[in-house]
């Protein structure tokens, strides 16, 4: 069965113990075999453990010759070699661990295997004389196992962000995409986009995650508490971050546009040797997908875009932010609160009557209570404490950010309801646990690199997000308009209008785009920005999925893309459900997606309505979430902290740490 922890997830948590005699023998034999391959076959080492090639290397050596991805079975060591390594191929080959027990397996019978590799691509596609490369980390789940070949098609996946790790996402393949979309018939491949996570160079601009954490209380404050004067401070912080990025990364910012990422997708397709790409791209990944499809229309095979952006919006200054705002407050009102009351007190803590136990909670009362609670935090934060956090405060900004993140994933709602209910009663323990989201965790040695154990994953590549968003709007006409985004007052108006449109998402979204004011100072001209239409004739239609209550990619965006692409090139599933992308599962959506990926079938109509199978708070629950006894005391049946941590992990896997996606 699959090991739960991806081998590369904790690269600095120490080498796996290598004490077994059989491994030592295998390594010895491997050295011998290398001699065999490289030089004189007669020098095969003979001795007590004579090397039976088939026993010790039942699947032969990795990487296979002519494999453009250089795949090795994933272990803790299989992160790509550094760019300054003069013999990267040799360094990489030495990371092959011949002991099959160290390999990560998965799939219905456990015979599938996770393979880790990398693909070198030009750093600058537009300049043939620039010798620099980007080294893209790639992870593939191969259903046929280490001895088998590739599947007929490979499902290439991208989680969005910008900044989400595709290699991280593939570790969910055996539980998620592979059965859900392909009945385990296709391999699943994900890559860390240029700048992200284990791809090189890495777009990290702080020396340590702890340094970045220090900024976060100053940065990203909500309009309601910060007031307009705060913008000067946040703007200065942004300028300092981009300046640090420039010092650290030089001209890298010119080569991170979505257009270049689309070119990387095409290189991945070619490396796979598949004439048509098969893929599942989510959220911001749908922007990559629609850009790629229109740049390489003859390469389009079966591509699903789920949680659909309309990438033209991102060509405008601030567009990545304001195009997201439509439905976050609907999700709160109809979904988080409304479905809570539908599910009732046995499933949602906020449905338990507080004032008069015999009269049920009304939606408008509950909404008003929640707003009163939040407003009280504007006036004064609530102090909190847990043994692991020490002293803490529950601020308006932190709490609303948590609420926004919860709108992405309705599985988190019972825990959020519990937290808000307790906070209302003056107990800030859960709130303290939920909102503390520092990147640096002093309990985790791998989160702090030291000279003796440098971690290749620290610091995290969070700055990539802003660099991509800003590159994509770097040539917008607004930049040169009088009173335009060169001026802080333009941003101040944007801030006010976005937070007015959505008290939940307006502020978070504003800070996704605000740093762009300083992008052109450091990287005046991104190397390439695709500015063509999105209605090119594709070799196959693509399948869009957009959700009615999506807090990040409103249905309106999917509809506008559908309208531009037209019937020959696209179909849309209107997925009626909660959360971001189609994670609020629907057998209807899944059946269409599977028919499309496996057989190339598309619905006849432009739009097909599909409805989520279950309701929030009631998903598959035979057990109840809470139990209320005769005195009105609430007892929990699931640990809300555990549920919330699952949610936080899901968010991290799907789109990077920062809410953006
Ligand atoms: C980086 O990639 C590895 C897998 O290659 C993954 O386990 C890890 O979670 C990723 N990190 C982030 C921050 O996504
Ligand atoms: C192309 O790359 C070469 C070599 O790095 C560099 O000297 C030149 O300035 C680059 N040209 C452009 C247009 O960026
Ligand atoms: C989403 O927002 C749009 C624009 O405000 C609105 O027309 C639509 O009804 C909203 N959808 C839902 C499900 O509330
Ligand atoms: C509680 O609600 C019941 C039913 O709505 C009502 O009859 C009763 O008067 C209420 N009690 C108080 C103290 O408000
Ligand atoms: C506060 O909430 C925490 C977490 O739910 C709980 O363990 C604790 O007992 C509560 N404290 C009080 C005084 O009710
Ligand atoms: C795409 O749409 C534009 C109008 O927006 C139209 O002028 C153009 O001909 C269309 N291109 C194709 C390939 O249909």
């Amino acid at each position: 069965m699959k090991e739960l922890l991806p081998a590369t997830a904790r690269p600095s948590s120490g080498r796996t113990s290598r004490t077994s005699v059989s491994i030592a023998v295998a390594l010895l034999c491997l050295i011998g075999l290398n001699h065999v391959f490289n030089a004189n076959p007669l020098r095969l080492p003979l001795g007590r453990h004579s090397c039976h090639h088939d026993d010790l290397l039942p699947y032969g050596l990795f990487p296979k010759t002519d494999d453009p991805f250089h795949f090795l079975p994933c272990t803790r060591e299989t992160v790509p070699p550094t760019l300054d390594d003069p013999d990267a191929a040799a360094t990489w080959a030495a990371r092959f661990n011949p002991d099959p027990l160290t390999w990560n397996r998965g799939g219905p019978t456990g015979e599938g295997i996770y393979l880790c590799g990398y693909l070198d691509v030009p750093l600058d596609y537009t300049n043939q004389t620039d010798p620099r490369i980007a080294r893209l980390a790639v992870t593939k789940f191969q259903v046929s196992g280490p001895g088998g070949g590739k599947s007929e098609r490979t499902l290439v996946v991208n989680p969005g962000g910008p900044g989400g790790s595709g290699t991280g996402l593939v570790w969910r393949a055996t539980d998620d995409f592979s059965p859900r979309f392909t009945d385990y018939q296709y391999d699943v491949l994900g890559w860390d986009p240029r700048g992200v996570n284990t791809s090189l160079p890495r777009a990290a601009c702080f020396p340590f995650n702890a340094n970045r954490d220090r900024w976060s209380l100053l940065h990203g404050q909500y309009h309601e508490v910060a007031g307009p004067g705060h913008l000067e401070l946040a703007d200065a912080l942004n300028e300092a971050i981009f300046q640090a990025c420039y010092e650290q990364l030089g001209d890298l910012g010119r080569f991170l546009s979505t257009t270049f990422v689309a070119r990387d997708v095409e290189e991945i397709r070619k490396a796979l040797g598949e004439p048509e790409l098969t893929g599942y791209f989510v959220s911001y990944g749908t922007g990559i997908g629609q850009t790629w499809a229109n740049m390489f229309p003859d390469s389009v095979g079966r591509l699903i875009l789920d949680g659909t952006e309309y990438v033209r919006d991102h060509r405008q200054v601030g567009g990545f932010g304001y195009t997201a705002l439509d439905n976050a407050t609907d999700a709160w009102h109809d979904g988080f609160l409304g479905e809570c009351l539908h599910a009732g007190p046995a499933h949602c803590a906020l449905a338990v009557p507080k004032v008069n136990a015999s009269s049920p909670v009304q939606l408008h009362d509950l909404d008003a209570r929640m707003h009163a609670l939040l407003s009280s935090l504007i006036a004064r934060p609530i102090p909190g404490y847990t043994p692991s956090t020490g002293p803490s405060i529950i601020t308006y900004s932190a709490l609303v950010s948590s609420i926004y993140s919860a709108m992405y994933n309705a599985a988190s709602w019972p825990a959020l309801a519990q937290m808000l209910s307790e906070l209302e009663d003056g107990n800030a323990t859960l709130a303290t646990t939920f909102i503390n989201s520092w990147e640096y965790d002093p309990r985790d040695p791998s989160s702090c690199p030291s000279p003796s154990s440098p971690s290749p994953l620290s610091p995290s590549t969070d700055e990539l997000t802003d660099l991509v968003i800003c590159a994509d709007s770097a040539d917008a006409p607004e930049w040169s308009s009088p009173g335009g985004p060169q001026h802080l007052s333009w941003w101040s108006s944007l801030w006010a209008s976005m937070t007015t449109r959505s008290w939940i998402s307006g502020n978070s979204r504003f800070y996704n785009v605000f740093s762009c004011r300083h992008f052109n100072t450091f990287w005046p001209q991104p190397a390439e920005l695709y500015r063509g239409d999105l209605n090119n004739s594709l070799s196959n239609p693509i399948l869009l999925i957009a959700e009615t209550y999506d807090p990040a990619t409103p249905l309106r965006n999917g509809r506008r893309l559908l309208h531009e692409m037209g019937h020959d090139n696209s179909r849309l599933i209107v997925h009626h459900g909660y959360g971001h992308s189609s994670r609020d599962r629907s057998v209807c959506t899944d059946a269409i997606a599977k028919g499309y990926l496996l057989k190339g079938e598309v619905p006849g109509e432009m739009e097909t309505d599909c409805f989520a199978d279950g309701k929030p708070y009631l998903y598959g629950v035979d057990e109840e979430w809470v139990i209320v006894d005769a005195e009105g005391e609430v007892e929990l049946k699931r640990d809300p902290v555990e549920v919330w941590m699952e949610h936080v992990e899901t968010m991290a896997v799907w789109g990077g740490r920062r809410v953006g996606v």
Side-chain angles (χ1 to χ4, degrees):
M1 287 293 110
K2 180 187 147 192
E3 285 192 23
L4 287 178
L5 274 177
T8 49
R10 298 179 303 172
S12 63
S13 50
R15 298 164 68 86
T16 45
S17 83
R18 296 274 180 75
T19 50
S20 126
V21 172
S22 72
I23 299 173
V25 171
L27 286 171
L28 265 178
C29 291
L30 195 59
I31 295 163
L33 288 167
N34 276 332
H35 277 289
V36 175
F37 295 145
N38 297 337
N40 180 352
L42 295 177
R43 287 170 66 196
L44 184 70
L46 297 170
R48 271 197 315 135
H49 302 288
S50 67
C51 292
H52 297 292
H53 181 178
D54 290 349
D55 293 350
L56 292 164
L57 292 169
Y59 308 107
L61 278 171
F62 289 87
K64 303 294 178 196
T65 46
D66 302 332
D67 172 5
F69 296 110
H70 318 279
F71 279 128
L72 305 178
C74 296
T75 66
R76 286 182 198 287
E77 276 74 32
T78 49
V79 289
T82 56
L83 291 173
D84 59 5
D85 187 333
D87 197 352
T91 303
W92 181 249
R95 289 185 190 166
F96 171 50
N97 187 331
D99 178 7
L101 293 176
T102 66
W103 302 352
N104 285 279
R105 308 295 292 267
T109 57
E111 78 228 24
I113 186 164
Y114 287 87
L115 298 170
C116 287
Y118 62 90
L119 183 68
D120 290 343
V121 296
L123 184 68
D124 184 356
Y125 284 101
T126 63
N127 185 353
Q128 308 221 322
T129 61
D130 189 335
R132 294 175 296 172
I133 58 163
R135 178 160 287 158
L136 305 179
V138 174
T139 298
K140 177 166 101 156
F141 172 67
Q142 181 163 289
V143 271
S144 64
K150 69 190 284 300
S151 55
E152 179 197 337
R153 288 169 181 263
T154 305
L155 185 70
V156 178
V157 296
N158 180 282
S165 162
T167 62
L169 187 63
V170 172
W171 293 97
R172 303 223 150 182
T174 50
D175 299 329
D176 193 339
F177 323 104
S178 205
R180 181 176 170 200
F181 293 135
T182 80
D183 287 337
Y184 289 110
Q185 290 186 41
Y186 296 161
D187 301 339
V188 177
L189 180 146
W191 84 103
D192 287 345
R194 45 178 61 217
V196 174
N197 197 19
T198 52
S199 284
L200 300 169
R202 308 181 72 244
C205 308
F206 287 84
F208 301 99
N209 283 336
N211 302 97
R212 192 189 287 110
D213 283 342
R214 276 188 214 158
W215 291 54
S216 54
L217 278 179
L218 286 175
H219 200 260
Q221 291 285 315
Y222 268 60
H223 190 59
E224 288 77 355
V225 266
H230 181 76
L231 278 195
E232 287 285 359
L233 173 64
D235 188 54
L237 295 169
N238 285 336
E239 185 176 6
I241 293 173
F242 273 177
Q243 184 174 338
C245 290
Y246 186 73
E247 300 285 341
Q248 285 275 313
L249 308 168
D251 62 353
L252 180 67
R254 294 189 56 232
F255 311 119
L256 298 174
S257 69
T258 299
T259 306
F260 265 23
V261 179
R263 291 200 179 275
D264 293 340
V265 171
E266 183 65 1
E267 294 306 306
I268 289 167
R269 181 196 66 76
K270 288 193 247 170
L272 278 168
E274 297 181 21
E276 296 179 344
L277 184 90
T278 306
Y280 179 67
F281 289 14
V282 184
S283 187
Y284 157 75
T286 69
I288 302 170
Q290 60 199 265
T291 303
W292 167 82
N294 281 284
M295 289 171 71
F296 304 98
D298 298 331
S299 300
V300 177
R302 300 173 187 170
L303 178 63
I304 297 180
L305 304 183
D306 189 358
T308 307
E309 306 266 14
Y310 186 42
V311 83
R312 275 185 191 277
D313 296 337
H314 303 175
R315 299 176 185 178
Q316 284 151 29
V317 187
F320 187 93
Y322 59 70
T323 194
L325 301 178
D326 285 16
N327 298 112
T329 52
D330 299 319
W332 161 266
H333 183 269
D334 301 357
F336 175 69
L337 299 180
E339 299 292 353
C340 166
L341 298 183
H342 280 143
H347 302 284
C348 177
L350 287 173
V352 179
K354 290 209 168 165
V355 189
N356 180 343
S358 53
S359 66
V361 179
Q362 301 295 320
L363 182 55
H364 61 270
D365 292 337
L366 179 57
D367 202 11
R369 267 168 48 199
M370 290 297 109
H371 277 103
L373 173 64
L374 289 161
S375 302
S376 77
L377 297 175
I378 296 175
R380 182 185 166 86
I382 296 177
Y385 168 80
T386 68
S388 65
T389 57
S392 182
I393 50 171
I394 315 305
T395 65
Y396 178 85
S397 298
L399 190 60
V400 178
S401 292
S402 301
I403 289 172
Y404 184 34
S405 117
M407 294 306 110
Y408 281 59
N409 176 14
S412 71
W413 291 358
L416 180 68
Q418 182 67 32
M419 182 260 261
L420 291 170
S421 169
E422 291 184 2
L423 191 60
E424 207 183 11
D425 293 342
N427 183 343
T429 304
L430 273 187
T432 303
T433 310
F434 284 14
I435 69 173
N436 266 277
S437 61
W438 308 113
E439 284 195 77
Y440 167 59
D441 181 351
R443 294 166 303 182
D444 173 6
S446 75
S447 81
C448 182
S450 67
S452 59
S453 73
S455 161
L457 287 191
S458 284
S460 53
T461 54
D462 293 358
E463 283 67 56
L464 182 280
T465 307
D466 287 15
L467 291 172
V468 172
I469 291 169
C470 297
D472 284 353
S473 63
D475 67 346
E478 293 110 298
W479 287 115
S480 51
S481 66
Q486 303 281 9
H487 305 273
L488 204 54
S489 56
W490 186 92
W491 295 96
S492 188
S493 309
L494 182 66
W495 198 24
S497 85
M498 287 176 69
T499 50
T500 305
R501 268 182 70 196
S502 174
W503 64 268
I504 294 180
S505 56
N507 192 77
S508 289
R509 286 285 162 176
F510 174 79
Y511 285 109
N512 277 151
V513 297
F514 184 34
S515 58
C516 297
R517 179 157 185 254
H518 297 286
F519 183 84
N520 290 343
T521 315
F522 299 102
W523 303 279
Q525 279 172 332
E528 188 185 20
L529 297 170
Y530 176 74
R531 290 298 178 248
D533 289 335
L534 303 175
N535 59 352
N536 290 334
S537 295
L538 311 181
S539 43
N540 289 287
I542 67 182
L543 180 64
L544 313 176
I545 309 176
E547 293 73 18
T548 50
Y549 280 102
D550 196 309
T553 53
L555 173 57
R556 192 172 82 91
N557 296 356
R559 285 212 164 117
R560 286 182 298 145
L561 178 63
L562 178 78
H563 183 255
E564 175 164 356
M565 293 186 76
H567 184 270
D568 287 349
N569 299 316
S570 58
R571 299 290 191 282
L572 173 68
I573 297 176
V574 176
H575 182 99
H576 297 257
Y578 296 107
H580 178 42
S581 80
S582 66
R583 65 166 52 94
D584 196 355
R585 293 280 295 274
S586 155
V587 291
C588 164
T589 298
D590 287 3
I592 295 172
K594 201 185 278 188
Y596 173 71
L597 289 178
L598 293 181
K599 299 185 204 143
E601 295 167 356
V602 288
E605 302 293 309
M606 287 286 276
E607 288 193 7
T608 307
D609 289 293
C610 282
F611 292 81
D613 302 334
K615 286 286 187 191
Y617 303 97
L618 300 172
Y619 299 120
V621 270
D622 349 64
E623 318 126 67
E624 298 175 331
W625 173 262
V626 291
I627 295 175
V628 191
D629 69 16
E631 280 88 53
E633 291 292 311
V634 172
E635 187 199 326
L636 295 179
K637 290 194 73 181
R638 285 188 69 196
D639 177 10
V641 175
E642 200 179 286
V643 173
W644 188 259
M645 294 310 153
E646 272 168 37
H647 160 63
V648 170
E649 194 203 319
T650 303
M651 291 291 293
V653 169
W654 277 95
R657 232 185 114 264
R658 289 180 46 187
V659 168
V661 299

